[in-house]
């Protein structure tokens, strides 16, 4: 998506932490999401953060949001080979208007490769 | 148990044919969506329906016609298929009052 940008590739060693970055442009975004897509599979919702929060932690996942810079990151602790996938950042509009109506605007995805 | 399901998973067809993809959700959500993922993995919204009514149509060619017979179903019919329609099509659902949007497993459409 032209309004959401991500780096395209990340290589990380098993056991290290991964950090995937994302920038967005729509200041009216209410929620920001991280989805995981494994090869040939659908989109798995990993986590999301409300736009008035700075941080959210969920087991090995930590989401950081810098609203001023419109920067979102996903940190995966103790990265495993099963974490190899494409990770999509997405921003969601509200349901106040029919222009947005909860639609997700996605980044191009970050391919994460975990090496032993 | 599947929250959002789609059929078929794979669809291979000739140019010019008409085909349909079906989507069903058992989450009780009011809003359903169709997204298209192209060969570069780029995902873009096509349609959004709320309570069987069309809300968003993101400048999709009118060869694509979504139909929502009830709140739990949103089908996608495509007329006169073109090579450029080859993609993975994802159905999703959410609740306007909720935060989560769940996706189906996708339908890989290949037009020859």
């Amino acid at each position: 998506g032209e309004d959401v940008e991500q780096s395209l590739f990340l290589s990380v060693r098993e056991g290290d932490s991964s950090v995937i970055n994302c920038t967005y442009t729509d200041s009216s975004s209410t929620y920001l999401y991280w989805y995981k897509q494994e090869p040939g599979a659908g989109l798995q919702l990993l986590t999301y953060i409300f736009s008035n929060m700075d941080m959210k932690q969920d087991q090995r996942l930590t989401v950081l949001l810098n609203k001023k810079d419109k920067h979102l990151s996903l940190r995966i602790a103790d990265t495993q080979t099963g974490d190899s996938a494409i990770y999509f950042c997405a921003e969601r509009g509200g349901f106040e208007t029919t222009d947005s109506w909860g639609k997700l605007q996605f980044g191009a995805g970050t391919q994460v490769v975990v090496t032993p | 148990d599947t929250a959002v399901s789609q059929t078929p998973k794979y669809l291979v067809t000739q140019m010019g044919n008409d085909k349909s993809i079906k989507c069903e959700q058992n989450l009780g959500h009011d809003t359903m969506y169709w997204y298209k993922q192209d060969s570069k993995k780029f995902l873009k919204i096509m349609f959004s329906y709320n309570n069987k009514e069309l809300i968003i149509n993101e400048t999709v060619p009118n060869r694509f016609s979504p139909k929502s017979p009830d709140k739990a179903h949103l089908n996608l019919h495509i007329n006169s298929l073109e090579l450029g329609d080859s993609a993975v099509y994802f159905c999703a659902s959410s609740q306007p009052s909720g935060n989560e949007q769940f996706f189906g497993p996708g339908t890989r459409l290949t037009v020859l």
Side-chain angles (χ1 to χ4, degrees):
Chain A
E2 60 271 17
D3 297 327
V4 181
E5 292 190 1
Q6 302 177 234
S7 50
L8 293 182
F9 185 79
L10 176 67
S11 179
V12 62
R13 283 182 182 252
E14 195 174 9
D16 288 350
S17 292
S18 313
V19 179
I20 309 166
N21 293 301
C22 170
T23 56
Y24 63 99
T25 57
D26 187 354
S27 58
S28 66
S29 294
T30 52
Y31 284 90
L32 296 140
Y33 297 81
W34 286 103
Y35 283 86
K36 176 184 179 182
Q37 186 178 33
E38 296 182 61
L43 291 156
Q44 177 194 351
L45 176 62
L46 285 178
T47 187
Y48 60 91
I49 188 167
F50 188 46
S51 57
N52 70 354
M53 295 171 65
D54 298 325
M55 184 181 97
K56 182 179 178 182
Q57 186 147 7
D58 185 0
Q59 299 182 335
R60 293 191 298 122
L61 305 178
T62 303
V63 179
L64 294 177
L65 176 60
N66 180 329
K67 196 172 180 182
K68 175 174 165 288
D69 294 338
K70 298 190 182 68
H71 183 266
L72 182 74
S73 67
L74 175 69
R75 179 178 180 269
I76 306 172
D78 186 25
T79 312
Q80 303 298 308
T81 54
D83 295 324
S84 291
I86 301 175
Y87 290 79
F88 291 94
C89 165
E91 60 179 350
R92 194 200 85 179
F95 288 90
E96 298 81 17
T97 69
T98 55
D99 282 347
S100 59
W101 199 262
K103 73 177 183 184
L104 295 179
Q105 190 100 345
F106 284 89
T110 299
Q111 173 83 57
V112 173
V113 173
V114 182
T115 56
Chain B
D1 275 330
T2 306
V4 183
S5 59
Q6 295 178 228
T7 53
K9 188 166 171 61
Y10 299 97
L11 187 51
V12 181
T13 188
Q14 299 286 334
M15 243 177 13
N17 284 350
D18 303 336
K19 290 293 178 187
S20 292
I21 307 171
K22 295 186 176 182
C23 177
E24 177 181 1
Q25 52 95 4
N26 62 6
L27 297 165
H29 288 165
D30 287 335
T31 303
M32 296 184 72
Y33 310 81
W34 278 108
Y35 289 84
K36 179 181 179 180
Q37 186 175 44
D38 64 21
S39 57
K40 294 183 179 175
K41 304 293 186 185
F42 178 61
L43 277 150
K44 190 168 170 60
I45 183 84
M46 298 173 71
F47 299 103
S48 167
Y49 266 70
N50 185 64
N51 217 351
K52 301 191 300 174
E53 291 197 18
L54 178 66
I55 303 294
I56 292 175
N57 179 341
E58 279 295 287
T59 60
V60 178
N62 58 13
R63 296 183 296 105
F64 290 79
S65 51
K67 285 187 174 51
S68 182
D70 55 59
K71 279 193 336 181
H73 296 84
L74 181 63
N75 304 323
L76 184 65
H77 188 76
I78 316 169
N79 287 328
S80 304
L81 278 155
E82 301 178 357
L83 294 176
D85 298 331
S86 294
V88 181
Y89 292 85
F90 287 101
C91 176
S93 74
S94 72
Q95 196 71 330
S97 58
N99 311 325
E100 297 164 323
Q101 190 167 133
F102 294 103
F103 282 74
T107 295
R108 181 174 292 277
L109 171 65
T110 303
V111 183
L112 303 174

